């Protein structure tokens, strides 16, 4: 991975993703040992649109590895865009830093950035595309809860038409294989055919489409919630009728397995009731931590900075 | 104090405030020794409204202790507020950092933040409430000038009705006791009754209310200036008549004790003439430094990071 | 230079500029050795107008020397300007940091800042004045390409009337002496008389004024490109007729010396075709790196922090 940009998860092999998952787990339990891994390194966070949560995650990741951070976000970018192409900005910033995380409202901007830069570029979200580190956070959460990312029944609930997070997760899980998807949405917000085709193209994955969360919640190992936006519906009656079906609360959770994991990419509005936060099945704030850990794994990997003690630890794990 | 949030000064005992004052003094004279106290720590400055002076003070404090900083301020916050509660933001950020400084325009926001966070939260100002670290800076300045925060005659001058800084200082000094307050204001801007009641409730504090600074300046050990805003007056005539009475210049200072200390929470507009800056009695830029030192003391204390050499130094002080 | 502010290049002697050039070269080849030079130091970047490229350069420079950074930029400054003078802000910030880089839209603001501050202030651009570190970057680029900043034929092309960057460069090169200037511009955008007088006042520098880049490009050791803005012309016809003359592309470069250096202060719009980027004569992204290196040299010098190994290296260079 050294020196490589990561614009989509297709830039990473399954073996590389597994290694990142191993590294994230190692980092979490060896915080002090890894605290100087990226000493002398500088990360640039180039956020052409504000996305504070993501920016803070990338920045903390580098700081916790001993590196430093420069950057801009949203309102400060006027002077950057003023007559300068993304390519020129990246050629400039390549002189300052060792790795870049870029967020941009336009699809394809991250790829343009990576082509121009002489340092690795990590896509922190560009328009229609999903940012790959969100999916890495999702995988790490499944892994930390179940010790694996396959041989699982995974429910995805809410807006499955426009929810790019869930498309990216499904596609990546299909690469790992052996996942049973339960696709839970109103008929207006069903999973697009190309995503279903992707599942069908695997030997080992399968799916069912349903519209009632309560009916299937008991079957699930993990439930990935997303927001159902009012403006997706043709009329308010449909929205009002369906809305509550896609809100997770303790009543619905009563029917779920005791070790089911609830995921959500955040921010949430009301699709998960606050009362769920204290339920041990709630994994969405863990997911935030896992996002930071996976960014630590990714940043150190593309920089070629080895995590002290990781090689020995990994060998021991494999031997065990 | 370890692991505790500080939302108001009532969260700290008098003994704890005294310890913070001792620590600030120690830090000031042992800058190099304390420069690694918070190594590996990360502070988040979550500023939902811009307050650059306060933000820079909190950030410098952490950097000077060897820690690191992430955060947002004002214009960058759009993405944070976008449908996310303060509680969720704090639950998220708790995964990234070891301590939070929060500034928010709404009263009570800091308390909500502290309840949601799993790391200590320091109130950097929330709406109607004062931020406790300003009062800590004021106390540290009295202490550095007089070696104590009581047995003093302290004038408070200007807008005593709406000036929350002075209310917070009075209330805290009442906890220490043995202070003579001289409350100097136009009749339109007198000290509220509940603050006067607070003074009366002590055994050892007293107050007088006057309207002429020149008349009493000779009696004061310290003079705390605040701004008199035009819009507080019913008519412009009153404002014009009174304004000059509440401007401190060298002419008025001529009647003051040679070691009187002039404090001001800053920023000032014109209530202290520039000529006063070079007078040795001007203590308001020292107050800025003391603010940073007290924030260093507070940040390290809530983190449980001991200042190297402080314990021995404190014992020696006590023995002396 | 220790403790000194740098508001214009006249604040630095030729010997001091030469030393900065030596230091920048040393830093570039001794990155690891200098990485702790400014440990424990804090830089404030006070950017009253956004200038992201410049800000990131100053910040990276301090981080790469082991120091830390606080600051504000553009949109965040509301609270700073709110009734506070630059002088008061600098007196405040002097309590936090060891060195300040200031950018301000008003001419003279940097000098006001330096007078109020008790720490060194570096001008990062104030209104009509040029920021001296841009010129230092230009000099370092000539030096890195030719081993010297004089005995050169230097073309300056485009808007020579309003281009403050080129005025500052010409004036500084006149101090070094022995430079042949080729001033290439449309008649509407000629070099001002006071700049020509400056050249005439030297013993060893000379100039010619021409309007056609192609005609003279073969004579040049270095070509400094600037942007020709449409709004500088009386009518669109003139603009359209002249525009292409001042665009550098591979066709024009074919007539240039094989080791000519192309400089540009950036950002560019279209005055240098992208195809030129891959030409070894393109030096404008090197110029960005040199800007950072010169800022590292300057920041460490005004702080009085010696670059480890530099003294010995310099002696060896002199001896050789």
């Amino acid at each position: 991975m050294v020196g490589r940009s990561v614009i989509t998860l297709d830039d990473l092999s399954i073996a590389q993703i597994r290694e990142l998952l191993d590294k994230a787990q190692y980092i979490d339990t060896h915080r002090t040992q890894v605290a100087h891994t990226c000493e002398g390194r500088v990360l640039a966070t180039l956020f052409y649109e504000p996305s504070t949560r993501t920016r803070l995650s990338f920045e903390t990741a580098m700081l916790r590895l001993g590196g430093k951070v420069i950057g801009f976000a949203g309102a400060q970018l006027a002077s950057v865009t003023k007559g300068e192409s993304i390519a020129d900005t990246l050629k400039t910033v390549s002189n300052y830093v060792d790795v870049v995380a870029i967020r941009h409202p336009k699809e394809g901007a991250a790829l343009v950035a990576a082509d121009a830069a002489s340092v690795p570029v990590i896509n922190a979200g560009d328009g229609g595309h999903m940012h790959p580190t969100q999916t890495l956070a999702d995988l790490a959460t499944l892994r930390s809860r179940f010790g694996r990312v396959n041989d699982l029944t995974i429910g995805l609930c809410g807006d499955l038409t426009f929810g790019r997070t869930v498309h990216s997760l499904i596609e990546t899980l299909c690469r790992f294989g052996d996942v049973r998807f339960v696709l839970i949405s109103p008929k207006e917000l069903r999973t697009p055919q190309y995503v279903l085709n992707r599942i069908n193209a695997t030997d080992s994955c399968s799916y069912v489409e349903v519209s009632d969360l309560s009916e299937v919640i008991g079957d699930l190992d993990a439930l990935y919630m997303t927001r159902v936006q009012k403006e997706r519906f043709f009329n308010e009656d449909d929205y009002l009728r369906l809305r509550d079906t896609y809100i997770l609360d303790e009543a619905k959770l009563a029917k779920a397995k005791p070790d089911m994991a609830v995921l959500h990419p955040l921010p949430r509005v009301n699709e998960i009731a606050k009362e769920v936060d204290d339920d041990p099945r709630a994994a969405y704030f863990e997911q935030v931590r896992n996002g930071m850990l996976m960014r630590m794994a990714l940043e150190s990997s593309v920089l070629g900075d080895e995590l002290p003690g990781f090689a020995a630890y990994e060998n021991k794990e494999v031997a065990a």
Side-chain angles (χ1 to χ4, degrees), chain A residues 8-309:
Chain A
T8 79
L9 279 182
D10 291 336
D11 293 326
L12 297 173
S13 69
I14 289 298
Q16 288 172 327
I17 295 174
R18 281 194 199 282
E19 193 184 358
L20 292 174
L21 290 166
D22 289 347
K23 284 185 170 179
Q25 190 179 47
Y26 177 78
I27 289 166
D28 198 25
T29 51
H30 298 77
R31 296 284 183 114
T32 311
Q33 287 97 315
V34 304
H36 301 278
T37 304
C38 295
E39 216 150 69
R41 302 296 197 170
V42 182
L43 162 75
T45 49
L46 309 184
F47 275 53
Y48 288 83
E49 66 179 0
S51 178
T52 307
R53 314 170 52 88
T54 305
R55 180 174 62 80
L56 296 184
S57 183
F58 271 99
E59 293 184 1
T60 311
M62 180 50 68
L63 295 177
R64 293 253 179 236
L65 290 167
K68 300 182 170 188
V69 177
I70 63 166
F72 58 79
Q76 297 167 17
L77 68 88
S79 68
V80 176
T81 52
K82 190 172 61 188
E84 185 170 73
S85 66
I86 293 176
D88 276 15
T89 299
L90 268 289
K91 282 177 183 175
T92 293
V93 171
S94 291
N95 283 293
Y96 299 154
V97 302
D98 304 291
V99 56
V100 169
I102 187 170
R103 173 96 174 193
H104 200 285
K106 282 200 192 129
E107 267 189 46
L111 189 59
V112 170
D115 286 345
S118 56
V119 298
V121 171
I122 301 173
N123 187 0
D126 62 337
H129 291 84
M130 198 48 223
H131 48 125
T133 54
Q134 176 63 53
T135 301
L136 291 177
D138 302 342
L139 295 174
T141 307
L142 293 175
R143 161 77 173 264
S144 71
R145 285 276 170 145
F146 303 105
R148 61 189 193 278
V149 300
N150 44 17
D151 189 16
L152 293 168
T153 300
I154 299 179
L156 299 122
C157 176
D159 175 357
L160 304 187
T161 302
F162 300 98
R164 296 158 308 151
T165 319
V166 298
H167 302 166
S168 174
L169 180 58
I170 291 171
E171 290 181 33
T172 307
L173 286 171
C174 283
R175 292 173 66 193
F176 282 90
D178 197 13
V179 171
R180 296 166 297 279
F181 296 103
V182 180
L183 307 169
I184 310 152
S185 74
K187 70 177 190 302
E188 290 88 344
L189 294 173
R190 272 194 198 148
T191 314
Q193 191 58 45
Y194 80 90
V195 177
L196 299 178
N197 291 345
R198 180 69 187 87
I199 302 174
N200 286 329
T202 66
D203 292 331
S204 56
C205 296
S206 61
Y207 71 86
V208 291
E209 292 187 281
V210 300
S211 60
D212 187 342
L213 172 57
S214 300
E215 208 172 276
V216 294
I217 196 167
D219 304 329
L220 307 176
D221 295 313
L223 171 59
Y224 200 103
M225 294 296 296
T226 66
R227 181 151 43 122
V228 175
Q229 290 178 280
K230 194 172 173 177
E231 54 270 34
R232 302 296 190 201
F233 288 84
F234 293 115
N235 62 66
E236 191 156 349
D237 285 350
D238 283 351
Y239 173 71
L240 292 175
R241 181 174 46 81
L242 288 166
R243 192 184 49 181
D244 287 355
T245 325
Y246 302 99
I247 291 179
L248 184 67
D249 54 20
E250 279 294 299
K252 287 202 191 74
L253 260 187
K255 302 176 191 164
K257 292 183 187 174
D259 65 345
M260 189 187 75
V262 180
L263 283 76
H264 190 294
L266 301 183
R268 66 169 157 184
V269 179
N270 66 343
E271 57 276 15
I272 300 179
K274 299 235 160 188
E275 63 194 28
V276 177
D277 293 8
D278 297 324
D279 191 300
R281 288 169 286 196
Y284 32 93
F285 289 113
E286 258 172 74
Q287 217 173 334
V288 170
R289 191 178 74 242
N290 287 322
M292 180 185 74
L293 296 170
M294 288 303 276
R295 288 175 185 111
M296 292 175 79
L298 187 58
E299 288 171 356
S300 57
S301 294
V302 299
L303 285 167
D305 292 336
E306 294 193 17
L307 300 165

